[in-house]
Amino acid sequence: MFQSFDIKSAPQFGRERVASLRARFAEASIDGFLVPRADEYQGEYVPASAERLSWLTGFTGSAGVALITASQAIVFVDGRYTTQLKEQVDGEVFTGGDLVGEPPHLWLRHHGTKGFRLGIDPWLHTAAEVRRLRKALEEIDGSLIFLPSNPLDAIWTDRPAEPVGAVAIQKADHAGTLASEKIAAIVEQVKDKKAAAVLITDPSSVAWIFNIRGSDVPHTPHPLARAIVSTEGKPQLFLDQRKTGIEVRAYLAQLAEQLPPEAFPVRLQDWAKQGPILLDADLAPLALSLAIEEAGGTVIEAPDPARLPRACKNRTELEGSARAHLQDGAAVVEFLHWLDRQPAGSVTEIESVRALEAARLRVGERMQNPLKDISFDTISGAGEHAAIMHYRVTSESDRSLNEGELFLIDSGAQYINGTTDITRTVAIGTVPEDRKRFFTLVLKGMIAISTARFPKGTRGCDLDPLARIALWKAGGDFAHGTGHGVGSYLSVHEGPQRISRLSTQELLAGMILSNEPGYYRPGHFGIRIENLIHVRDAEEIAGGDMSMLSFETLTWCPIDRRLVLPELLTTDETEWLNGYHAQTREKLMPLIEDAEVREWLARATEPLG
């Protein structure tokens, strides 16, 4: 199976480990140290060897940073993880901080002592982060100290080895565009910027450019690698040969010079002497900028040239994603049918995760498109656990799905032709009316995004209120974005596209996003409904005077009609839901063999009211 339920963190050692870290402050001449949840590649998912924040604090969320000073230990998280933080860390050692409202640089500006000397590992922070930290410290006459080695690594004596996961070729019938064509397009961008080369630091961009996939980190099929693409000669790909077999090495030899990762600093310095180097300051670790400048080179800050083309999926990628979602929908339907047959109280959160993974494996084998991995650790929360937005069930926290509760299951899959992400909230037995009311309000927000029409130039922040307005009118909201970008057999969280209060990225045709409003009442229940959608040109609107964009739904799976209060829906919303269910039935029925599952699907997709 793909998911582990025993999280290997040790909050009971927090006091001891923080003390050991502080003991190294004097030698480094610092007053504090930052421990981000990041690795040297700045990815969301990191290998075990880079789980420094979890090792130090016990917090296992995917976003956070700890600030350790002589007298305080603060773990900054966003609203998704507030409850999880309280449950996972030793409250006598660590306090919680607000990663959005008062992140570390603002905390230092407001609370740091005069002359504060903050140490950081420059491999674990981007240039953009460093600018914010430096500016804040200057306001208190403090300074930023770039440490030559990470003091936490010195005390982490049983740190795991770096991964050497196998690399595979993502063939053109799934990628849609040849790697040679992608490289040529990037070279033209480098020439336009009058630079000698561009530094590709995002492993997902490396995977996309060279049409390869890897297995170094959990659930995201990219290899930990970097590349230098120059205007002269082949690109240089810094990828451990232990990850590539004969076929992959032969394939890559046609495209690039494959070099060991340890050769990277020398090659980077060589290129720095030949002309300006393009680098994305929001994605690249500061250590790379420092290395270029130390070699006498010049950094030109520019967006990763692969990021936007990667986000705007080509026709092959979109068609592959649509097929992957149909297969995944069939698997989730088999799971929901199974769940519906279990008496209340007889199934646990972990058993549900295992049943869903088994359904995906079974359907993948039947359809000859195997499940490669889950796309993230499944969120399987019943009752009060559903109110923890990114709850991760463990063998210690596991509980049964009981009568009268809501059960939230947020899961995704990695198939060679696409990445999926779906959330369904279902009733276990008879659910109180207040749960149904909020479920319907969340559904209204999800329908509003699904049916949106918007002019070119619209940004994610422009659409975000559509998902919230029904909840706002009822005095509710949710503390996460409405939608994130999704890759093509790559990361389930892909930028730069998002639907959120802060997203200023224009939405462009081909972008895949999630549509997942929610509502959470801590200690009681949580609700989220999620489909994936992609941006496309909208049909012409009679009487309109400009072209519009719209969303096309990718995810097909019943929404629990038992939780919908029809009187709260408008006529248009009811028609959308009935139409969605009719299409779900039509699309998925041919993929389901079992007669009982087919009967369940027919009932679950009957018209509302």
Side-chain angles (χ1 to χ4, degrees), residues 325-339 356 359-360 363 409 411-412 415 420 422-424 555-558 588 592 597 600:
H325 277 84
L326 289 177
Q327 173 177 328
D328 203 56
V332 179
V333 163
E334 289 196 7
F335 162 74
L336 291 174
H337 163 259
W338 169 85
L339 182 64
L356 178 52
R360 284 184 162 124
V363 173
I409 187 156
S411 70
Y415 305 101
T420 72
I422 174 174
T423 307
R424 289 297 183 262
T555 306
W556 301 100
C557 183
L588 298 188
I592 296 172
V597 180
W600 181 90

PDB file of all heavy atoms in Angstrom, residues 325-339 356 359-360 363 409 411-412 415 420 422-424 555-558 588 592 597 600:
ATOM      1  N   HIS A 325      -9.342  10.710 -14.934  1.00  0.00           N
ATOM      2  CA  HIS A 325     -10.406  11.060 -13.996  1.00  0.00           C
ATOM      3  C   HIS A 325     -11.613  10.134 -14.127  1.00  0.00           C
ATOM      4  O   HIS A 325     -12.289   9.852 -13.129  1.00  0.00           O
ATOM      5  CB  HIS A 325     -10.825  12.517 -14.183  1.00  0.00           C
ATOM      6  CG  HIS A 325      -9.936  13.480 -13.466  1.00  0.00           C
ATOM      7  ND1 HIS A 325      -8.750  13.934 -13.995  1.00  0.00           N
ATOM      8  CD2 HIS A 325     -10.048  14.057 -12.237  1.00  0.00           C
ATOM      9  CE1 HIS A 325      -8.177  14.758 -13.131  1.00  0.00           C
ATOM     10  NE2 HIS A 325      -8.940  14.840 -12.057  1.00  0.00           N
ATOM     11  N   LEU A 326     -11.905   9.675 -15.329  1.00  0.00           N
ATOM     12  CA  LEU A 326     -12.996   8.709 -15.487  1.00  0.00           C
ATOM     13  C   LEU A 326     -12.646   7.409 -14.759  1.00  0.00           C
ATOM     14  O   LEU A 326     -13.472   6.837 -14.035  1.00  0.00           O
ATOM     15  CB  LEU A 326     -13.257   8.446 -16.964  1.00  0.00           C
ATOM     16  CG  LEU A 326     -13.908   9.592 -17.750  1.00  0.00           C
ATOM     17  CD1 LEU A 326     -14.030   9.229 -19.211  1.00  0.00           C
ATOM     18  CD2 LEU A 326     -15.270   9.941 -17.160  1.00  0.00           C
ATOM     19  N   GLN A 327     -11.437   6.935 -14.961  1.00  0.00           N
ATOM     20  CA  GLN A 327     -10.999   5.725 -14.271  1.00  0.00           C
ATOM     21  C   GLN A 327     -11.045   5.919 -12.761  1.00  0.00           C
ATOM     22  O   GLN A 327     -11.516   5.051 -12.018  1.00  0.00           O
ATOM     23  CB  GLN A 327      -9.579   5.370 -14.707  1.00  0.00           C
ATOM     24  CG  GLN A 327      -8.969   4.220 -13.932  1.00  0.00           C
ATOM     25  CD  GLN A 327      -7.579   3.851 -14.440  1.00  0.00           C
ATOM     26  OE1 GLN A 327      -7.289   3.989 -15.622  1.00  0.00           O
ATOM     27  NE2 GLN A 327      -6.718   3.385 -13.546  1.00  0.00           N
ATOM     28  N   ASP A 328     -10.551   7.066 -12.301  1.00  0.00           N
ATOM     29  CA  ASP A 328     -10.518   7.331 -10.868  1.00  0.00           C
ATOM     30  C   ASP A 328     -11.935   7.463 -10.313  1.00  0.00           C
ATOM     31  O   ASP A 328     -12.217   7.009  -9.196  1.00  0.00           O
ATOM     32  CB  ASP A 328      -9.717   8.607 -10.600  1.00  0.00           C
ATOM     33  CG  ASP A 328      -9.169   8.651  -9.186  1.00  0.00           C
ATOM     34  OD1 ASP A 328      -8.460   7.706  -8.803  1.00  0.00           O
ATOM     35  OD2 ASP A 328      -9.453   9.632  -8.470  1.00  0.00           O
ATOM     36  N   GLY A 329     -12.816   8.080 -11.104  1.00  0.00           N
ATOM     37  CA  GLY A 329     -14.205   8.195 -10.671  1.00  0.00           C
ATOM     38  C   GLY A 329     -14.844   6.839 -10.469  1.00  0.00           C
ATOM     39  O   GLY A 329     -15.590   6.609  -9.498  1.00  0.00           O
ATOM     40  N   ALA A 330     -14.549   5.902 -11.372  1.00  0.00           N
ATOM     41  CA  ALA A 330     -15.086   4.548 -11.226  1.00  0.00           C
ATOM     42  C   ALA A 330     -14.579   3.901  -9.946  1.00  0.00           C
ATOM     43  O   ALA A 330     -15.333   3.206  -9.234  1.00  0.00           O
ATOM     44  CB  ALA A 330     -14.703   3.712 -12.443  1.00  0.00           C
ATOM     45  N   ALA A 331     -13.310   4.122  -9.630  1.00  0.00           N
ATOM     46  CA  ALA A 331     -12.736   3.551  -8.407  1.00  0.00           C
ATOM     47  C   ALA A 331     -13.379   4.154  -7.163  1.00  0.00           C
ATOM     48  O   ALA A 331     -13.701   3.433  -6.202  1.00  0.00           O
ATOM     49  CB  ALA A 331     -11.230   3.773  -8.394  1.00  0.00           C
ATOM     50  N   VAL A 332     -13.584   5.470  -7.165  1.00  0.00           N
ATOM     51  CA  VAL A 332     -14.186   6.115  -5.989  1.00  0.00           C
ATOM     52  C   VAL A 332     -15.642   5.673  -5.839  1.00  0.00           C
ATOM     53  O   VAL A 332     -16.137   5.488  -4.713  1.00  0.00           O
ATOM     54  CB  VAL A 332     -14.065   7.645  -6.083  1.00  0.00           C
ATOM     55  CG1 VAL A 332     -14.721   8.304  -4.870  1.00  0.00           C
ATOM     56  CG2 VAL A 332     -12.603   8.071  -6.152  1.00  0.00           C
ATOM     57  N   VAL A 333     -16.338   5.463  -6.942  1.00  0.00           N
ATOM     58  CA  VAL A 333     -17.705   4.953  -6.869  1.00  0.00           C
ATOM     59  C   VAL A 333     -17.725   3.565  -6.235  1.00  0.00           C
ATOM     60  O   VAL A 333     -18.570   3.268  -5.373  1.00  0.00           O
ATOM     61  CB  VAL A 333     -18.352   4.920  -8.271  1.00  0.00           C
ATOM     62  CG1 VAL A 333     -19.594   4.026  -8.290  1.00  0.00           C
ATOM     63  CG2 VAL A 333     -18.733   6.330  -8.705  1.00  0.00           C
ATOM     64  N   GLU A 334     -16.803   2.687  -6.629  1.00  0.00           N
ATOM     65  CA  GLU A 334     -16.731   1.363  -6.008  1.00  0.00           C
ATOM     66  C   GLU A 334     -16.490   1.483  -4.504  1.00  0.00           C
ATOM     67  O   GLU A 334     -17.073   0.747  -3.704  1.00  0.00           O
ATOM     68  CB  GLU A 334     -15.642   0.523  -6.670  1.00  0.00           C
ATOM     69  CG  GLU A 334     -15.986   0.086  -8.084  1.00  0.00           C
ATOM     70  CD  GLU A 334     -15.100  -1.048  -8.581  1.00  0.00           C
ATOM     71  OE1 GLU A 334     -14.305  -1.595  -7.781  1.00  0.00           O
ATOM     72  OE2 GLU A 334     -15.224  -1.395  -9.766  1.00  0.00           O
ATOM     73  N   PHE A 335     -15.622   2.428  -4.127  1.00  0.00           N
ATOM     74  CA  PHE A 335     -15.366   2.641  -2.705  1.00  0.00           C
ATOM     75  C   PHE A 335     -16.613   3.145  -1.984  1.00  0.00           C
ATOM     76  O   PHE A 335     -16.972   2.644  -0.900  1.00  0.00           O
ATOM     77  CB  PHE A 335     -14.215   3.635  -2.522  1.00  0.00           C
ATOM     78  CG  PHE A 335     -14.160   4.240  -1.149  1.00  0.00           C
ATOM     79  CD1 PHE A 335     -13.720   3.504  -0.062  1.00  0.00           C
ATOM     80  CD2 PHE A 335     -14.596   5.548  -0.943  1.00  0.00           C
ATOM     81  CE1 PHE A 335     -13.696   4.060   1.213  1.00  0.00           C
ATOM     82  CE2 PHE A 335     -14.572   6.105   0.330  1.00  0.00           C
ATOM     83  CZ  PHE A 335     -14.124   5.356   1.412  1.00  0.00           C
ATOM     84  N   LEU A 336     -17.282   4.139  -2.543  1.00  0.00           N
ATOM     85  CA  LEU A 336     -18.458   4.708  -1.881  1.00  0.00           C
ATOM     86  C   LEU A 336     -19.571   3.675  -1.765  1.00  0.00           C
ATOM     87  O   LEU A 336     -20.317   3.660  -0.765  1.00  0.00           O
ATOM     88  CB  LEU A 336     -18.946   5.943  -2.648  1.00  0.00           C
ATOM     89  CG  LEU A 336     -18.020   7.173  -2.595  1.00  0.00           C
ATOM     90  CD1 LEU A 336     -18.542   8.276  -3.501  1.00  0.00           C
ATOM     91  CD2 LEU A 336     -17.880   7.690  -1.162  1.00  0.00           C
ATOM     92  N   HIS A 337     -19.706   2.830  -2.766  1.00  0.00           N
ATOM     93  CA  HIS A 337     -20.690   1.741  -2.684  1.00  0.00           C
ATOM     94  C   HIS A 337     -20.337   0.817  -1.518  1.00  0.00           C
ATOM     95  O   HIS A 337     -21.209   0.439  -0.718  1.00  0.00           O
ATOM     96  CB  HIS A 337     -20.705   0.962  -4.002  1.00  0.00           C
ATOM     97  CG  HIS A 337     -21.348  -0.385  -3.893  1.00  0.00           C
ATOM     98  ND1 HIS A 337     -20.611  -1.562  -3.797  1.00  0.00           N
ATOM     99  CD2 HIS A 337     -22.643  -0.759  -3.830  1.00  0.00           C
ATOM    100  CE1 HIS A 337     -21.441  -2.590  -3.686  1.00  0.00           C
ATOM    101  NE2 HIS A 337     -22.678  -2.133  -3.709  1.00  0.00           N
ATOM    102  N   TRP A 338     -19.042   0.469  -1.423  1.00  0.00           N
ATOM    103  CA  TRP A 338     -18.599  -0.381  -0.309  1.00  0.00           C
ATOM    104  C   TRP A 338     -18.897   0.285   1.037  1.00  0.00           C
ATOM    105  O   TRP A 338     -19.423  -0.357   1.965  1.00  0.00           O
ATOM    106  CB  TRP A 338     -17.101  -0.652  -0.446  1.00  0.00           C
ATOM    107  CG  TRP A 338     -16.486  -1.297   0.757  1.00  0.00           C
ATOM    108  CD1 TRP A 338     -16.446  -2.625   1.057  1.00  0.00           C
ATOM    109  CD2 TRP A 338     -15.846  -0.619   1.852  1.00  0.00           C
ATOM    110  NE1 TRP A 338     -15.817  -2.827   2.263  1.00  0.00           N
ATOM    111  CE2 TRP A 338     -15.433  -1.614   2.766  1.00  0.00           C
ATOM    112  CE3 TRP A 338     -15.574   0.723   2.128  1.00  0.00           C
ATOM    113  CZ2 TRP A 338     -14.779  -1.300   3.952  1.00  0.00           C
ATOM    114  CZ3 TRP A 338     -14.916   1.042   3.306  1.00  0.00           C
ATOM    115  CH2 TRP A 338     -14.527   0.030   4.210  1.00  0.00           C
ATOM    116  N   LEU A 339     -18.576   1.573   1.137  1.00  0.00           N
ATOM    117  CA  LEU A 339     -18.762   2.293   2.397  1.00  0.00           C
ATOM    118  C   LEU A 339     -20.238   2.339   2.776  1.00  0.00           C
ATOM    119  O   LEU A 339     -20.595   2.187   3.947  1.00  0.00           O
ATOM    120  CB  LEU A 339     -18.203   3.713   2.260  1.00  0.00           C
ATOM    121  CG  LEU A 339     -18.279   4.596   3.513  1.00  0.00           C
ATOM    122  CD1 LEU A 339     -17.409   4.018   4.625  1.00  0.00           C
ATOM    123  CD2 LEU A 339     -17.832   6.019   3.174  1.00  0.00           C
ATOM    124  N   LEU A 356     -10.218   2.369  -0.224  1.00  0.00           N
ATOM    125  CA  LEU A 356     -10.147   3.247  -1.397  1.00  0.00           C
ATOM    126  C   LEU A 356      -8.903   2.935  -2.227  1.00  0.00           C
ATOM    127  O   LEU A 356      -8.974   2.875  -3.470  1.00  0.00           O
ATOM    128  CB  LEU A 356     -10.155   4.710  -0.951  1.00  0.00           C
ATOM    129  CG  LEU A 356     -10.050   5.766  -2.053  1.00  0.00           C
ATOM    130  CD1 LEU A 356     -11.085   5.544  -3.144  1.00  0.00           C
ATOM    131  CD2 LEU A 356     -10.191   7.165  -1.458  1.00  0.00           C
ATOM    132  N   ALA A 359      -9.552  -0.172  -4.178  1.00  0.00           N
ATOM    133  CA  ALA A 359     -10.430   0.066  -5.325  1.00  0.00           C
ATOM    134  C   ALA A 359      -9.645   0.677  -6.484  1.00  0.00           C
ATOM    135  O   ALA A 359      -9.832   0.288  -7.646  1.00  0.00           O
ATOM    136  CB  ALA A 359     -11.584   0.981  -4.917  1.00  0.00           C
ATOM    137  N   ARG A 360      -8.757   1.610  -6.187  1.00  0.00           N
ATOM    138  CA  ARG A 360      -7.959   2.219  -7.251  1.00  0.00           C
ATOM    139  C   ARG A 360      -7.010   1.197  -7.895  1.00  0.00           C
ATOM    140  O   ARG A 360      -6.808   1.198  -9.106  1.00  0.00           O
ATOM    141  CB  ARG A 360      -7.176   3.417  -6.700  1.00  0.00           C
ATOM    142  CG  ARG A 360      -8.043   4.659  -6.485  1.00  0.00           C
ATOM    143  CD  ARG A 360      -7.236   5.845  -6.036  1.00  0.00           C
ATOM    144  NE  ARG A 360      -7.971   7.085  -6.239  1.00  0.00           N
ATOM    145  CZ  ARG A 360      -8.240   7.969  -5.276  1.00  0.00           C
ATOM    146  NH1 ARG A 360      -7.818   7.738  -4.034  1.00  0.00           N
ATOM    147  NH2 ARG A 360      -8.910   9.075  -5.545  1.00  0.00           N
ATOM    148  N   VAL A 363      -9.322  -1.239 -10.055  1.00  0.00           N
ATOM    149  CA  VAL A 363      -9.815  -0.638 -11.298  1.00  0.00           C
ATOM    150  C   VAL A 363      -8.657  -0.357 -12.242  1.00  0.00           C
ATOM    151  O   VAL A 363      -8.772  -0.534 -13.464  1.00  0.00           O
ATOM    152  CB  VAL A 363     -10.613   0.643 -10.996  1.00  0.00           C
ATOM    153  CG1 VAL A 363     -10.989   1.378 -12.286  1.00  0.00           C
ATOM    154  CG2 VAL A 363     -11.878   0.309 -10.205  1.00  0.00           C
ATOM    155  N   ILE A 409     -13.500  12.486   3.052  1.00  0.00           N
ATOM    156  CA  ILE A 409     -12.355  11.762   2.497  1.00  0.00           C
ATOM    157  C   ILE A 409     -11.839  12.532   1.279  1.00  0.00           C
ATOM    158  O   ILE A 409     -12.534  12.710   0.285  1.00  0.00           O
ATOM    159  CB  ILE A 409     -12.690  10.294   2.185  1.00  0.00           C
ATOM    160  CG1 ILE A 409     -11.416   9.551   1.769  1.00  0.00           C
ATOM    161  CG2 ILE A 409     -13.838  10.153   1.185  1.00  0.00           C
ATOM    162  CD1 ILE A 409     -11.467   8.061   1.989  1.00  0.00           C
ATOM    163  N   SER A 411      -8.761  12.618  -1.360  1.00  0.00           N
ATOM    164  CA  SER A 411      -7.748  11.692  -1.845  1.00  0.00           C
ATOM    165  C   SER A 411      -7.407  11.998  -3.294  1.00  0.00           C
ATOM    166  O   SER A 411      -8.099  12.757  -3.971  1.00  0.00           O
ATOM    167  CB  SER A 411      -8.255  10.251  -1.740  1.00  0.00           C
ATOM    168  OG  SER A 411      -9.299  10.025  -2.681  1.00  0.00           O
ATOM    169  N   GLY A 412      -6.332  11.395  -3.762  1.00  0.00           N
ATOM    170  CA  GLY A 412      -5.940  11.579  -5.155  1.00  0.00           C
ATOM    171  C   GLY A 412      -5.059  10.444  -5.610  1.00  0.00           C
ATOM    172  O   GLY A 412      -4.555   9.652  -4.797  1.00  0.00           O
ATOM    173  N   TYR A 415      -1.651   8.552 -12.051  1.00  0.00           N
ATOM    174  CA  TYR A 415      -1.642   7.640 -13.187  1.00  0.00           C
ATOM    175  C   TYR A 415      -0.699   8.229 -14.227  1.00  0.00           C
ATOM    176  O   TYR A 415      -0.463   9.446 -14.258  1.00  0.00           O
ATOM    177  CB  TYR A 415      -3.040   7.488 -13.786  1.00  0.00           C
ATOM    178  CG  TYR A 415      -4.093   7.050 -12.803  1.00  0.00           C
ATOM    179  CD1 TYR A 415      -4.991   7.964 -12.246  1.00  0.00           C
ATOM    180  CD2 TYR A 415      -4.202   5.716 -12.417  1.00  0.00           C
ATOM    181  CE1 TYR A 415      -5.970   7.568 -11.350  1.00  0.00           C
ATOM    182  CE2 TYR A 415      -5.174   5.313 -11.511  1.00  0.00           C
ATOM    183  CZ  TYR A 415      -6.060   6.242 -10.978  1.00  0.00           C
ATOM    184  OH  TYR A 415      -7.011   5.844 -10.076  1.00  0.00           O
ATOM    185  N   THR A 420      -4.988  13.055 -10.112  1.00  0.00           N
ATOM    186  CA  THR A 420      -6.343  13.361  -9.659  1.00  0.00           C
ATOM    187  C   THR A 420      -6.344  13.829  -8.206  1.00  0.00           C
ATOM    188  O   THR A 420      -5.399  13.579  -7.452  1.00  0.00           O
ATOM    189  CB  THR A 420      -7.268  12.132  -9.788  1.00  0.00           C
ATOM    190  OG1 THR A 420      -6.923  11.165  -8.783  1.00  0.00           O
ATOM    191  CG2 THR A 420      -7.150  11.494 -11.166  1.00  0.00           C
ATOM    192  N   ILE A 422      -9.744  14.473  -5.386  1.00  0.00           N
ATOM    193  CA  ILE A 422     -11.197  14.521  -5.210  1.00  0.00           C
ATOM    194  C   ILE A 422     -11.526  14.475  -3.726  1.00  0.00           C
ATOM    195  O   ILE A 422     -10.906  13.732  -2.961  1.00  0.00           O
ATOM    196  CB  ILE A 422     -11.885  13.351  -5.957  1.00  0.00           C
ATOM    197  CG1 ILE A 422     -13.390  13.323  -5.657  1.00  0.00           C
ATOM    198  CG2 ILE A 422     -11.234  12.015  -5.646  1.00  0.00           C
ATOM    199  CD1 ILE A 422     -14.154  12.278  -6.464  1.00  0.00           C
ATOM    200  N   THR A 423     -12.502  15.273  -3.315  1.00  0.00           N
ATOM    201  CA  THR A 423     -13.000  15.210  -1.942  1.00  0.00           C
ATOM    202  C   THR A 423     -14.500  14.988  -1.969  1.00  0.00           C
ATOM    203  O   THR A 423     -15.222  15.672  -2.705  1.00  0.00           O
ATOM    204  CB  THR A 423     -12.716  16.498  -1.159  1.00  0.00           C
ATOM    205  OG1 THR A 423     -11.325  16.815  -1.241  1.00  0.00           O
ATOM    206  CG2 THR A 423     -13.107  16.342   0.305  1.00  0.00           C
ATOM    207  N   ARG A 424     -14.946  14.042  -1.171  1.00  0.00           N
ATOM    208  CA  ARG A 424     -16.368  13.853  -0.961  1.00  0.00           C
ATOM    209  C   ARG A 424     -16.638  13.796   0.543  1.00  0.00           C
ATOM    210  O   ARG A 424     -15.883  13.170   1.300  1.00  0.00           O
ATOM    211  CB  ARG A 424     -16.867  12.568  -1.629  1.00  0.00           C
ATOM    212  CG  ARG A 424     -16.905  12.638  -3.157  1.00  0.00           C
ATOM    213  CD  ARG A 424     -17.879  13.688  -3.648  1.00  0.00           C
ATOM    214  NE  ARG A 424     -18.001  13.754  -5.088  1.00  0.00           N
ATOM    215  CZ  ARG A 424     -17.348  14.634  -5.859  1.00  0.00           C
ATOM    216  NH1 ARG A 424     -16.491  15.502  -5.305  1.00  0.00           N
ATOM    217  NH2 ARG A 424     -17.559  14.660  -7.148  1.00  0.00           N
ATOM    218  N   THR A 555     -13.648  15.898 -12.917  1.00  0.00           N
ATOM    219  CA  THR A 555     -13.982  14.886 -11.915  1.00  0.00           C
ATOM    220  C   THR A 555     -15.439  14.465 -12.031  1.00  0.00           C
ATOM    221  O   THR A 555     -16.336  15.317 -12.056  1.00  0.00           O
ATOM    222  CB  THR A 555     -13.732  15.441 -10.501  1.00  0.00           C
ATOM    223  OG1 THR A 555     -12.389  15.920 -10.404  1.00  0.00           O
ATOM    224  CG2 THR A 555     -13.971  14.384  -9.438  1.00  0.00           C
ATOM    225  N   TRP A 556     -15.659  13.155 -12.060  1.00  0.00           N
ATOM    226  CA  TRP A 556     -17.023  12.633 -12.160  1.00  0.00           C
ATOM    227  C   TRP A 556     -17.234  11.594 -11.069  1.00  0.00           C
ATOM    228  O   TRP A 556     -16.646  10.521 -11.084  1.00  0.00           O
ATOM    229  CB  TRP A 556     -17.269  12.035 -13.544  1.00  0.00           C
ATOM    230  CG  TRP A 556     -17.068  13.054 -14.624  1.00  0.00           C
ATOM    231  CD1 TRP A 556     -15.967  13.207 -15.411  1.00  0.00           C
ATOM    232  CD2 TRP A 556     -17.962  14.105 -14.974  1.00  0.00           C
ATOM    233  NE1 TRP A 556     -16.127  14.290 -16.251  1.00  0.00           N
ATOM    234  CE2 TRP A 556     -17.348  14.860 -16.011  1.00  0.00           C
ATOM    235  CE3 TRP A 556     -19.232  14.490 -14.546  1.00  0.00           C
ATOM    236  CZ2 TRP A 556     -17.942  15.960 -16.601  1.00  0.00           C
ATOM    237  CZ3 TRP A 556     -19.832  15.594 -15.132  1.00  0.00           C
ATOM    238  CH2 TRP A 556     -19.194  16.312 -16.142  1.00  0.00           C
ATOM    239  N   CYS A 557     -18.087  11.956 -10.118  1.00  0.00           N
ATOM    240  CA  CYS A 557     -18.382  11.078  -8.991  1.00  0.00           C
ATOM    241  C   CYS A 557     -19.575  11.674  -8.241  1.00  0.00           C
ATOM    242  O   CYS A 557     -19.646  12.903  -8.097  1.00  0.00           O
ATOM    243  CB  CYS A 557     -17.171  10.969  -8.065  1.00  0.00           C
ATOM    244  SG  CYS A 557     -17.404   9.850  -6.679  1.00  0.00           S
ATOM    245  N   PRO A 558     -20.509  10.878  -7.768  1.00  0.00           N
ATOM    246  CA  PRO A 558     -21.692  11.442  -7.107  1.00  0.00           C
ATOM    247  C   PRO A 558     -21.356  12.300  -5.896  1.00  0.00           C
ATOM    248  O   PRO A 558     -20.401  12.033  -5.158  1.00  0.00           O
ATOM    249  CB  PRO A 558     -22.490  10.199  -6.682  1.00  0.00           C
ATOM    250  CG  PRO A 558     -22.048   9.124  -7.611  1.00  0.00           C
ATOM    251  CD  PRO A 558     -20.593   9.410  -7.892  1.00  0.00           C
ATOM    252  N   LEU A 588     -19.632   6.992 -16.221  1.00  0.00           N
ATOM    253  CA  LEU A 588     -19.020   5.962 -15.386  1.00  0.00           C
ATOM    254  C   LEU A 588     -19.674   4.591 -15.513  1.00  0.00           C
ATOM    255  O   LEU A 588     -19.017   3.571 -15.275  1.00  0.00           O
ATOM    256  CB  LEU A 588     -19.028   6.399 -13.918  1.00  0.00           C
ATOM    257  CG  LEU A 588     -18.236   7.661 -13.557  1.00  0.00           C
ATOM    258  CD1 LEU A 588     -18.190   7.842 -12.052  1.00  0.00           C
ATOM    259  CD2 LEU A 588     -16.827   7.616 -14.124  1.00  0.00           C
ATOM    260  N   ILE A 592     -18.005   0.235 -14.992  1.00  0.00           N
ATOM    261  CA  ILE A 592     -18.275  -0.532 -13.776  1.00  0.00           C
ATOM    262  C   ILE A 592     -18.891  -1.871 -14.158  1.00  0.00           C
ATOM    263  O   ILE A 592     -19.895  -1.930 -14.866  1.00  0.00           O
ATOM    264  CB  ILE A 592     -19.208   0.266 -12.839  1.00  0.00           C
ATOM    265  CG1 ILE A 592     -18.492   1.547 -12.390  1.00  0.00           C
ATOM    266  CG2 ILE A 592     -19.623  -0.571 -11.646  1.00  0.00           C
ATOM    267  CD1 ILE A 592     -19.360   2.506 -11.636  1.00  0.00           C
ATOM    268  N   VAL A 597     -22.854  -2.396  -7.828  1.00  0.00           N
ATOM    269  CA  VAL A 597     -22.259  -1.055  -7.884  1.00  0.00           C
ATOM    270  C   VAL A 597     -22.994  -0.208  -8.915  1.00  0.00           C
ATOM    271  O   VAL A 597     -23.241   0.990  -8.698  1.00  0.00           O
ATOM    272  CB  VAL A 597     -20.756  -1.135  -8.197  1.00  0.00           C
ATOM    273  CG1 VAL A 597     -20.148   0.268  -8.255  1.00  0.00           C
ATOM    274  CG2 VAL A 597     -20.026  -1.970  -7.153  1.00  0.00           C
ATOM    275  N   TRP A 600     -26.125   0.970  -7.368  1.00  0.00           N
ATOM    276  CA  TRP A 600     -25.848   2.044  -6.404  1.00  0.00           C
ATOM    277  C   TRP A 600     -25.603   3.365  -7.127  1.00  0.00           C
ATOM    278  O   TRP A 600     -26.119   4.412  -6.716  1.00  0.00           O
ATOM    279  CB  TRP A 600     -24.619   1.677  -5.564  1.00  0.00           C
ATOM    280  CG  TRP A 600     -24.288   2.713  -4.525  1.00  0.00           C
ATOM    281  CD1 TRP A 600     -24.742   2.759  -3.244  1.00  0.00           C
ATOM    282  CD2 TRP A 600     -23.469   3.870  -4.713  1.00  0.00           C
ATOM    283  NE1 TRP A 600     -24.246   3.874  -2.603  1.00  0.00           N
ATOM    284  CE2 TRP A 600     -23.463   4.582  -3.482  1.00  0.00           C
ATOM    285  CE3 TRP A 600     -22.743   4.379  -5.774  1.00  0.00           C
ATOM    286  CZ2 TRP A 600     -22.755   5.765  -3.297  1.00  0.00           C
ATOM    287  CZ3 TRP A 600     -22.037   5.566  -5.592  1.00  0.00           C
ATOM    288  CH2 TRP A 600     -22.042   6.245  -4.381  1.00  0.00           C
TER     289      TRP A 600
END
